[in-house]
Amino acid sequence: MYPVQLKRLPGNEDVALPRKMSEWAAGFDLHAAVGEPLTLAPGERALVPTGFAMAMPKELEAQIRPRSGLAYKHGITCLNSPGTIDADYRGEVKVLLINLGQEPFTIERGERIAQMVFQTVPQVKIEEVSELSETVRGEGGFGHTGR
Ligand SMILES: O=c1ccn([C@H]2C[C@H](O)[C@@H](COP(=O)(O)OP(=O)(O)OP(=O)(O)O)O2)c(=O)[nH]1
Ligand SMILES: [Mg+2]
């Protein structure tokens, strides 16, 4: 178990902190901390506040992912999916939503808009070299094995 600290930001006592909606859910649902209902027209995007900030061990990142129900029913998704929350970020967690549907969609205060999944981040050390090891694939990519 990794310790993760959440800090509610002032004026958001009525907005739920991220929580799992079932015992083994992978994601903690994120709630919109909009002051007023926010309507996204088709094609429109917005950075939606969540009302909290976070501290987690440096071994972790958090990914902000869309909720499939909002995507399926309304075309609402995360533009930068998955969003990356760095372990050293102390600002408000925000969700970059976009309306890819055909109708305007209104986000109400407290509504669940996305989910947050924690992942471990391998620590790597990058080194520059002049030759890379050979493989059978080589430079083949982007569909070179066929459709
Ligand atoms: O969906 C997101 C994505 C990012 N962030 C916050 C946390 C993250 O640690 C920080 C920076 O995100 P990222 O590295 O993706 O953006 P950038 O454009 O590279 O900004 P920066 O130069 O600040 O790293 O913004 C969010 O709150 N929600
Ligand atoms: Mg960055």
Side-chain angles (χ1 to χ4, degrees), residues 64 80 83-86 89 92-96:
I64 308 295
N80 58 331
T84 306
I85 309 296
D86 301 287
Y89 178 69
E92 181 173 17
V93 172
K94 295 185 178 175
V95 179
L96 181 50

Side-chain angles (χ1 to χ4, degrees), residues 32-95:
V34 288
E36 301 288 329
L38 173 66
T39 299
L40 291 181
E44 194 178 357
R45 63 181 185 264
L47 203 48
V48 183
T50 61
F52 75 94
M54 189 162 68
M56 58 186 148
K58 67 180 190 310
E59 292 80 11
L60 297 187
E61 63 147 339
Q63 297 187 354
I64 308 295
R65 304 185 190 171
R67 291 186 64 212
S68 63
L70 287 181
Y72 177 55
K73 294 176 195 161
H74 304 287
I76 297 295
T77 190
C78 298
L79 179 56
N80 58 331
S81 187
T84 306
I85 309 296
D86 301 287
D88 53 358
Y89 178 69
R90 295 291 178 273
E92 181 173 17
V93 172
K94 295 185 178 175
V95 179

